[in-house]
Amino acid sequence: QLQASGGGLVQAGGSLRLSCAASGSIISINPMGWYRQAPEKQRELVASIFSSGSTDYADFVKGRFTISRDYARNTWYLQMNSLQPEDSAIYYCRATVRQSAYRDPRIFWGKGTQVTVSS
């Protein structure tokens, strides 16, 4: 399972750091990612990090958010700087997890953590 934490209320221009920890039967996780969903909007990709270390960001967060990971701890992070009210959403972590050498990887989602940015 995935456990996300670190959300909260912050003023515009502020920062937050989200964490997601994976637990259970895990051989590997690739990729690790963050998504977000604002009210009445579809869930959208924010950032992903791959086992190679490469990263992928949505255009709307480039230069402001940074995804990183600690593979030994099966944990990844999203450092969010220069937050704006439009960044307000529920942020979900997602992982593609290989649990067995004989089965395809499975996708898991965390329960989400609320980020609210006030103007």
Side-chain angles (χ1 to χ4, degrees), residues 59-79:
D59 287 343
F60 53 77
V61 301
K62 284 182 179 178
R64 300 188 298 126
F65 292 9
T66 302
I67 189 170
S68 61
R69 89 286 196 224
D70 182 341
Y71 271 120
R73 298 177 184 269
N74 288 325
T75 300
W76 56 108
Y77 310 93
L78 185 68
Q79 177 66 43

Side-chain angles (χ1 to χ4, degrees), residues 13-108:
S15 299
L16 284 173
R17 188 189 193 214
L18 306 183
S19 300
C20 186
S23 60
S25 177
I26 299 171
I27 294 177
S28 62
I29 304 176
N30 183 41
M32 301 168 168
W34 290 96
Y35 287 68
R36 72 185 188 185
Q37 187 167 18
E40 301 182 358
K41 292 189 176 181
Q42 289 189 333
R43 192 172 297 188
E44 57 187 358
L45 172 69
V46 176
S48 293
I49 187 165
F50 298 84
S51 58
S52 63
S54 64
T55 56
D56 185 29
Y57 293 94
D59 287 343
F60 53 77
V61 301
K62 284 182 179 178
R64 300 188 298 126
F65 292 9
T66 302
I67 189 170
S68 61
R69 89 286 196 224
D70 182 341
Y71 271 120
R73 298 177 184 269
N74 288 325
T75 300
W76 56 108
Y77 310 93
L78 185 68
Q79 177 66 43
M80 305 186 293
N81 299 327
S82 301
L83 283 161
Q84 300 300 317
E86 53 266 34
D87 294 316
S88 297
I90 299 175
Y91 283 71
Y92 298 90
C93 54
R94 169 181 153 152
T96 303
V97 181
R98 180 170 290 281
Q99 297 180 298
S100 167
Y102 308 102
R103 297 176 63 181
D104 290 339
R106 294 177 61 191
I107 293 174
F108 291 87

